[in-house]
Amino acid sequence: MANINEVAKKAGVSVATVSRVLNSPNVVTPRTKAKVEDAIKKLNYEPSMLGRNLRNSESRLLLVLVPSISNPFYIDIIKGIEQSALDQNYNILLCETDSNPEREEIYFDLVRKKMADGIISMDPAVNIETLKELSKQYAIIQCSEYSEESDIPYVTIDNEEAAYRAVKHLIKLGHQEIALFNSNEKYLYARERKEGYMRALQEYGLPINDEFIIMTDQLNFDSGIEATKRIMNLKDRPTAIFSVSDLLAVGALKEMNRTGVKVPEEMAIIGFDNIEFSNMTYPTLTTIAQPMYQLGTVAANMLIEKVNGGEVTNTILNHELLIREST
Amino acid sequence: MANINEVAKKAGVSVATVSRVLNSPNVVTPRTKAKVEDAIKKLNYEPSMLGRNLRNSESRLLLVLVPSISNPFYIDIIKGIEQSALDQNYNILLCETDSNPEREEIYFDLVRKKMADGIISMDPAVNIETLKELSKQYAIIQCSEYSEESDIPYVTIDNEEAAYRAVKHLIKLGHQEIALFNSNEKYLYARERKEGYMRALQEYGLPINDEFIIMTDQLNFDSGIEATKRIMNLKDRPTAIFSVSDLLAVGALKEMNRTGVKVPEEMAIIGFDNIEFSNMTYPTLTTIAQPMYQLGTVAANMLIEKVNGGEVTNTILNHELLIREST
DNA sequence: TTGAAAGCGCTAACAC
DNA sequence: GTGTTAGCGCTTTCAA
């Protein structure tokens, strides 16, 4: 528990020199350096980041805001963020908002109180007004979900195009009646994916049936089951489902298995996200793969750049259609 | 970006008074309090945790060490930790070691450098020697996995008993040939669960067949598939599988589905952990539910107690057998 | 190349 | 009830 003073005394130098050995070793003579390093070792000295951070007015902590860590979609993104952060001597504060505004405020307070140097927001339900306000003073990046008119830099994929390709894939397979399991359209990605869905149908002259468009409140397994029940109760059933989330699609798959509907023969299903689990289901799930790890590394790099006063440009990453057993 | 000095000046009081308004509002007169609060508002002042933390020699950050956030087993534990931490004004630094000793060292350095006040370790592969060394100086709690002779407090479940009950359940269903998908026995939980497995077999006079005991290196989906292939290639096949991890069991399920083996009629499967996904599979998975959220809250409370100099006792929480469709 | 000293923003002991 | 002041551990400017 020695501090820099004790090290300085033991080595017979000033604290400034100890600090130099730690931070710019090349400006001190090898001889002094050796003395200091010796003292450090003998005293088992570990520099305190509390002192350093106060002096440098930084925390070297990055806030990562996710709606829920239960959603595997975020896992690889987080891994990417963490790797980039570590590479640049930052650490991440992973914050789960649970779409709870109070929690969100607690986390926002961390940056106001200088406990975090910046924010990567991935929460579609984030209070965008507060975020905009904060972005005037602090470094903020939006990852995956973003608000167009916020002026806050973002990294994402082309959701409209991805949805378009997914639906086109179903149409080419011969499907004409295609359901859409969508999220609440207050979210940008939901609107964009719906547009892609409609563009594909229109391009092939297929009618848009409103009964086939199900809006779910949550992107989870149970919502997928429920949405499936609703379309299976229609007298005119679709033959394929495009779901904007793998979790929803897994629910659909489960309901098909339960009721004995054969996938993909009687019902084709396509998901979105390529969560790890989508390859473990029976049958495996066709899905849109987002470059999640890369979304994470890019977001982290952008944020760190911004924290250091740099300028940053919006980025659109590529996606990919993974054709597996469910279509 | 005002600091405490500016607030004091604006309010016409000393910095000490400002600090008091912030930390023990009841010791200042309502009049001064009002003046200070007014100044705070006008200046948009936010107290800096950097200054406060240095002064208090604390970071109010708790390090949470997990092998991988991909394993859903840890998700609810983390949620529990986070809730308890927030309730007591702490935040968590979620650290994924990926069983990489270098990463682990980076994270350990965080506590050595005072960036974290303590550690909750859930990594079975943690370097226990380093952990023991650190525990002399810093607050550490082991959660779920622990080392018996480390003297580091832990919270966990009775793994032997849980495994015993799982296997007994299979035996009562009439199974006599039961495979064990286990983890590497260098881990305590693996040894304990194997003991429970053997105790159940012995109690019912069933022979122990070494061919039925598969050791997997990783607790993941692919290992589950591989283990299943191995037992299905035996000329004398078991009729049931007890897997020490749901992820492994999900792999087994998938392989059964692929090869057309009916679950549970031709092969019963039981998992361990009750990860969210175990209820989404086809068929749903019988499993041992650990009280994960509670493991998290208890671990966090123990750690905070220890950080504050308190004494803490080891805790064993209850588990539960969840019988679903796979048995 | 090195040292002295100021100061990052805060809390708390002490004095009044 | 409030103010003065020292100091938490560090970095960096300035001077030597």
Side-chain angles (χ1 to χ4, degrees):
Chain A
M1 296 290 199
N3 64 19
I4 198 170
N5 281 295
E6 300 173 47
V7 175
K9 190 179 292 177
K10 175 140 209 142
V13 299
S14 73
V15 293
T17 299
V18 177
S19 176
R20 288 188 192 103
V21 171
L22 260 20
N23 300 301
S24 24
N26 40 324
V27 309
V28 300
T29 37
R31 218 177 94 73
T32 8
K33 195 178 143 195
K35 278 195 299 183
V36 171
E37 281 170 346
D38 191 50
I40 287 177
K41 196 162 288 170
K42 281 198 179 119
L43 293 173
N44 241 310
Y45 168 69
E46 296 279 354
S48 158
M49 303 216 62
L50 295 174
R52 164 193 282 240
N53 287 349
L54 172 60
R55 171 64 220 224
N56 293 346
S57 302
E58 62 174 10
S59 65
R60 297 207 81 82
L61 253 26
L62 269 20
L63 210 101
V64 176
L65 226 54
V66 293
S68 163
I69 47 175
S70 299
N71 188 337
F73 168 61
Y74 297 104
I75 297 297
D76 276 340
I77 302 184
I78 293 168
K79 289 189 190 211
I81 295 175
E82 174 139 49
Q83 187 59 57
S84 273
L86 282 180
D87 288 347
Q88 293 166 81
N89 266 299
Y90 281 84
N91 279 282
I92 66 172
L93 233 29
L94 183 60
C95 299
E96 185 184 31
T97 62
D98 258 333
S99 301
N100 173 348
E102 284 175 40
R103 273 227 173 176
E104 193 179 83
E105 265 308 310
I106 294 178
Y107 296 132
F108 283 156
D109 257 355
L110 290 176
V111 26
R112 296 194 187 102
K113 294 187 173 162
K114 317 274 184 300
M115 261 306 270
D117 294 341
I119 304 179
I120 294 175
S121 170
M122 300 197 266
D123 187 0
V126 73
N127 182 332
I128 188 69
E129 289 312 317
T130 313
L131 204 65
K132 269 156 61 173
E133 191 58 35
L134 283 172
S135 74
K136 292 178 188 161
Q137 233 179 119
Y138 308 100
I140 303 189
I141 300 291
Q142 300 175 99
C143 179
S144 181
E145 176 72 3
Y146 67 102
S147 158
E148 301 153 292
E149 33 67 75
S150 70
D151 266 3
I152 305 173
Y154 57 80
V155 50
T156 186
I157 62 160
D158 187 337
N159 281 293
E160 196 272 349
E161 178 71 18
Y164 166 79
R165 284 195 200 158
V167 176
K168 187 167 160 182
H169 164 66
L170 291 171
I171 296 173
K172 293 244 169 174
L173 251 28
H175 296 281
Q176 308 229 346
E177 319 239 78
I178 301 172
L180 170 67
F181 287 2
N182 202 5
S183 191
N184 192 312
E185 287 180 35
K186 68 184 170 195
Y187 303 134
L188 178 63
Y189 75 91
R191 296 196 297 276
E192 291 180 335
R193 291 178 193 177
K194 183 179 182 182
E195 273 170 33
Y197 164 84
M198 306 219 294
R199 173 155 70 97
L201 293 186
Q202 278 157 3
E203 187 172 314
Y204 287 86
L206 298 174
I208 287 164
N209 183 342
D210 281 342
E211 278 189 329
F212 288 174
I213 300 182
I214 311 279
M215 190 197 88
T216 66
D217 264 339
Q218 302 216 29
L219 294 185
N220 60 21
F221 179 69
D222 290 333
S223 300
I225 291 182
E226 205 186 313
T228 307
K229 284 182 178 158
R230 276 180 57 191
I231 60 158
M232 295 310 275
N233 279 335
L234 297 175
K235 60 175 184 295
D236 195 25
R237 285 184 194 170
T239 64
I241 299 169
F242 166 49
S243 156
V244 299
S245 147
D246 280 350
L247 247 24
L248 244 37
V250 171
L253 223 44
K254 175 77 210 218
E255 182 64 10
M256 298 301 165
N257 280 325
R258 191 183 69 82
T259 54
V261 175
K262 286 209 178 98
V263 177
E265 294 81 357
E266 302 172 63
M267 180 68 77
I269 302 181
I270 179 164
F272 207 113
D273 289 344
N274 188 31
I275 62 175
E276 208 179 351
F277 207 71
S278 66
N279 205 20
M280 304 186 192
T281 51
Y282 174 74
T284 54
L285 197 60
T286 292
T287 191
I288 297 284
Q290 302 198 43
M292 304 196 270
Y293 190 86
Q294 198 193 354
L295 277 168
T297 55
V298 170
N301 289 337
M302 285 170 75
L303 181 59
I304 293 171
E305 179 72 28
K306 248 202 139 204
V307 165
N308 296 321
E311 272 309 301
V312 125
T313 53
N314 299 333
T315 313
I316 310 277
L317 299 178
N318 292 323
H319 59 264
E320 198 183 340
L321 175 65
L322 294 186
I323 300 171
R324 294 201 281 235
E325 299 163 1
S326 69
T327 58
Chain B
M1 296 291 198
N3 63 20
I4 198 170
N5 281 297
E6 301 173 48
V7 175
K9 190 180 291 176
K10 177 139 209 143
V13 299
S14 74
V15 292
T17 299
V18 177
S19 177
R20 286 189 194 105
V21 170
L22 260 22
N23 299 302
S24 24
N26 40 325
V27 309
V28 300
T29 41
R31 217 177 95 73
T32 9
K33 197 178 141 193
K35 279 194 300 184
V36 171
E37 280 170 347
D38 191 52
I40 288 178
K41 196 162 287 170
K42 281 199 180 119
L43 292 173
N44 240 308
Y45 167 69
E46 296 279 356
S48 158
M49 304 217 59
L50 296 174
R52 162 193 285 241
N53 288 349
L54 172 59
R55 171 64 219 226
N56 294 346
S57 301
E58 64 174 10
S59 65
R60 298 208 80 83
L61 253 29
L62 269 20
L63 210 102
V64 176
L65 225 56
V66 292
S68 163
I69 47 174
S70 299
N71 187 337
F73 168 61
Y74 297 105
I75 298 297
D76 276 339
I77 302 185
I78 294 167
K79 290 190 188 208
I81 295 175
E82 174 140 48
Q83 188 58 59
S84 272
L86 282 181
D87 288 346
Q88 293 166 81
N89 267 297
Y90 281 84
N91 279 281
I92 67 173
L93 234 28
L94 183 60
C95 300
E96 185 183 32
T97 62
D98 258 332
S99 300
N100 173 349
E102 283 175 42
R103 273 226 172 175
E104 194 180 82
E105 265 307 311
I106 294 178
Y107 295 132
F108 282 156
D109 258 355
L110 256 24
V111 24
R112 296 194 187 101
K113 294 186 173 162
K114 315 274 184 300
M115 262 306 268
D117 294 340
I119 304 179
I120 294 175
S121 170
M122 301 197 264
D123 187 0
V126 72
N127 182 332
I128 188 69
E129 289 310 318
T130 313
L131 205 64
K132 268 155 63 172
E133 191 58 34
L134 283 172
S135 74
K136 292 178 189 162
Q137 233 179 118
Y138 308 101
I140 302 188
I141 300 291
Q142 300 175 99
C143 179
S144 180
E145 175 73 1
Y146 67 103
S147 159
E148 301 152 292
E149 33 69 76
S150 70
D151 267 3
I152 305 174
Y154 58 80
V155 50
T156 187
I157 61 159
D158 187 338
N159 280 294
E160 196 272 350
E161 178 69 18
Y164 166 79
R165 285 195 199 158
V167 176
K168 187 167 160 183
H169 164 67
L170 291 171
I171 296 172
K172 293 244 168 172
L173 251 27
H175 296 280
Q176 309 229 344
E177 319 239 77
I178 301 171
L180 169 68
F181 287 3
N182 202 5
S183 191
N184 193 312
E185 288 179 33
K186 68 184 170 194
Y187 304 133
L188 177 63
Y189 75 91
R191 296 196 298 276
E192 290 180 335
R193 291 179 193 178
K194 184 179 181 181
E195 274 170 33
Y197 164 83
M198 304 218 294
R199 174 155 70 96
L201 293 185
Q202 278 157 4
E203 187 172 314
Y204 288 85
L206 299 173
I208 287 164
N209 183 341
D210 280 343
E211 279 190 330
F212 288 173
I213 300 181
I214 311 281
M215 193 198 85
T216 66
D217 265 339
Q218 302 216 30
L219 293 185
N220 60 21
F221 179 69
D222 290 332
S223 300
I225 291 183
E226 207 186 311
T228 307
K229 283 182 179 158
R230 277 180 56 193
I231 60 157
M232 296 309 276
N233 279 336
L234 296 175
K235 60 174 182 300
D236 194 27
R237 285 184 194 169
T239 63
I241 299 170
F242 167 49
S243 156
V244 301
S245 147
D246 281 349
L247 246 26
L248 244 36
V250 170
L253 223 44
K254 174 78 209 212
E255 182 64 10
M256 297 302 165
N257 280 327
R258 191 184 68 82
T259 54
V261 176
K262 287 209 177 98
V263 177
E265 294 82 358
E266 300 172 65
M267 180 69 78
I269 302 181
I270 179 165
F272 206 113
D273 289 346
N274 188 31
I275 63 174
E276 206 178 352
F277 208 70
S278 65
N279 204 20
M280 305 186 193
T281 52
Y282 174 73
T284 53
L285 196 60
T286 292
T287 191
I288 297 282
Q290 301 198 43
M292 305 196 270
Y293 190 85
Q294 198 193 353
L295 278 168
T297 55
V298 170
N301 289 337
M302 284 170 75
L303 181 58
I304 292 171
E305 179 71 29
K306 247 202 138 204
V307 164
N308 296 321
E311 271 310 302
V312 126
T313 53
N314 299 332
T315 313
I316 311 278
L317 299 178
N318 292 322
H319 58 264
E320 197 182 341
L321 175 64
L322 294 185
I323 299 173
R324 293 200 282 234
E325 298 164 2
S326 69
T327 59

